[in-house]
Amino acid sequence: MERHRKQIASRLVLASALIAAVATFLSPPSLQAQIQAQPKGIDQALLAKANAGNADAQWHVAYAYEKGEGVPQDYKQASAWYLKAAERGDTDAQLAIGTLYEYGEGVSQDYTKAVFWYRKAAEQGDAEALLSLGIMYDEGRGVPQDY
């Protein structure tokens, strides 16, 4: 099951790279110039909202750190911001922090915490979190194995 999951993840990464390359190629030169000219760093208004407790803004800040978009990639910062948003009930953040706990990126690997956050998101109807939770049960990671 883990091998199958890794194969799917590899295919998704490859497909994403291909889509990005095609989109760049098909974008008009004026749009390409605008994209390349965007300033680096996190938008200060977004950061102010995140610091004020806006879960959506916190997710966006976390995502920027996780992916290294506009800021150096920093999984510790990403995990801290995802956790803030997750605690406020943001399902995307709950899934993301669960994934970081599952793989030990920015936090110590902890399957029990991964399961906790996957379950929180799954209870709100997030299909990807439900899949991740099912895989954790299937493989007995953070929970007793249960097919």
Side-chain angles (χ1 to χ4, degrees):
M1 183 60 130
E2 183 66 24
R3 187 176 74 155
H4 179 66
R5 187 173 182 188
K6 287 181 181 179
Q7 288 173 340
I8 290 173
S10 295
R11 289 180 183 153
L12 286 174
V13 169
L14 181 60
S16 297
L18 181 59
I19 290 168
V22 169
T24 301
F25 179 74
L26 295 176
S27 297
S30 60
L31 181 59
Q32 290 177 13
Q34 288 175 1
I35 292 169
Q36 293 172 357
Q38 288 181 351
K40 296 292 181 189
I42 296 174
D43 178 71
Q44 292 303 306
L46 178 66
L47 193 55
K49 287 180 183 179
N51 282 321
N54 181 294
D56 186 56
Q58 291 169 337
W59 180 90
H60 280 89
V61 170
Y63 185 84
Y65 278 113
E66 180 186 10
K67 303 301 180 187
E69 292 185 1
V71 292
Q73 188 176 41
D74 185 336
Y75 286 112
K76 286 187 179 187
Q77 282 289 331
S79 64
W81 284 106
Y82 278 139
L83 187 58
K84 288 177 184 189
E87 288 171 341
R88 286 179 170 68
D90 186 284
T91 56
D92 291 330
Q94 291 168 342
L95 174 64
I97 193 67
T99 302
L100 293 180
Y101 275 119
E102 181 179 357
Y103 294 102
E105 293 176 329
V107 292
S108 296
Q109 188 175 43
D110 188 327
Y111 294 145
T112 303
K113 287 182 181 178
V115 165
F116 174 83
W117 288 112
Y118 287 153
R119 182 174 284 118
K120 286 278 198 185
E123 287 171 351
Q124 294 186 69
D126 188 287
E128 191 174 346
L130 187 58
L131 173 64
S132 295
L133 184 60
I135 290 169
M136 298 297 276
Y137 272 99
D138 183 58
E139 297 175 357
R141 292 189 290 150
V143 290
Q145 189 172 27
D146 186 2
Y147 313 101

